[in-house]
Amino acid sequence: MSSLSLVTSKRSAIIKMWGGKRNCIELLKVMRTIDDRIVHELNTTVPTASFAGKIDAGQTCKQLYESLMAAHASRDRVIKHCIAQTSAVVKDLREEREKNLDNLALLKQLRKEQTKLKWMQSELNVEEVVNDRSWKVFNERCRIHFKPPKNE
């Protein structure tokens, strides 16, 4: 099994396991594996000019393209799910806080969840940087072997 298909199957398993209590940080870390290893993946699967006849670089680049698209979409969904979930918790805690202004533990929990929400919102920006880096590397190596569809 290639490392590309291993990453894809890991990602699929993680998405299926996703639940309300999962740690968003750890989940994103695992889901970013394909982006973290893209240079290695390209070096080991896309041949240089001297080895171009031995491997179908077009097919390899197409598979990597599809994996990147799926990974980026999955992570975007997970981040937005975490944001929605944390926003709901913050809303509930705010309502509870309005009813019980003297509860310091509640205030502490509210601040903690607000910090988590801000972090998750900043993850959208991090995701954009990670995606841009991956596409840049992908395009540098695969532009002569594979042309992505225009609509994406």
Side-chain angles (χ1 to χ4, degrees), residues 121-145:
Q121 290 167 335
S122 72
E123 276 303 303
L124 287 172
N125 295 329
V126 171
E127 188 64 18
E128 186 177 337
V129 171
V130 169
N131 292 353
D132 288 347
R133 177 191 165 271
S134 294
W135 287 121
K136 180 181 177 193
V137 171
F138 174 85
N139 288 326
E140 286 173 359
R141 287 296 301 272
C142 286
R143 70 176 171 253
I144 60 173
H145 304 292

Side-chain angles (χ1 to χ4, degrees), residues 105-119:
L106 190 59
L107 177 62
K108 185 177 179 180
Q109 183 64 30
L110 175 61
R111 297 287 185 247
K112 180 180 174 185
E113 291 298 321
Q114 287 172 326
T115 300
K116 182 178 172 184
L117 179 59
K118 288 175 187 174
W119 177 83

Side-chain angles (χ1 to χ4, degrees), residues 12-143:
S12 297
I14 289 167
I15 292 168
K16 287 176 187 170
M17 291 181 346
W18 173 252
K21 299 293 182 186
R22 282 272 183 228
N23 185 337
C24 293
I25 298 167
E26 290 301 315
L27 184 62
L28 288 172
K29 186 177 174 182
V30 173
M31 291 180 78
R32 284 187 176 139
T33 303
I34 189 170
D35 292 273
D36 293 342
R37 296 183 179 162
I38 189 166
V39 173
H40 173 72
E41 188 68 35
L42 286 166
N43 286 340
T44 59
T45 60
V46 178
T48 58
S50 59
F51 292 100
K54 297 179 180 170
I55 296 173
D56 184 0
Q59 185 62 29
T60 301
C61 287
K62 181 181 178 190
Q63 289 172 345
L64 184 56
Y65 170 81
E66 291 168 354
S67 293
L68 282 171
M69 289 295 290
H72 295 173
S74 296
R75 288 196 311 263
D76 187 63
R77 279 192 307 274
V78 167
I79 292 169
K80 288 178 180 173
H81 176 78
C82 288
I83 289 171
Q85 191 176 33
T86 306
S87 293
V89 170
V90 167
K91 181 182 177 236
D92 292 345
L93 287 172
R94 278 188 183 145
E95 290 171 359
E96 190 65 32
R97 174 78 174 134
E98 287 174 11
K99 295 176 191 172
N100 192 355
L101 295 174
D102 296 331
N103 189 337
L104 293 178
L106 190 59
L107 177 62
K108 185 177 179 180
Q109 183 64 30
L110 175 61
R111 297 287 185 247
K112 180 180 174 185
E113 291 298 321
Q114 287 172 326
T115 300
K116 182 178 172 184
L117 179 59
K118 288 175 187 174
W119 177 83
M120 288 307 305
Q121 290 167 335
S122 72
E123 276 303 303
L124 287 172
N125 295 329
V126 171
E127 188 64 18
E128 186 177 337
V129 171
V130 169
N131 292 353
D132 288 347
R133 177 191 165 271
S134 294
W135 287 121
K136 180 181 177 193
V137 171
F138 174 85
N139 288 326
E140 286 173 359
R141 287 296 301 272
C142 286
R143 70 176 171 253

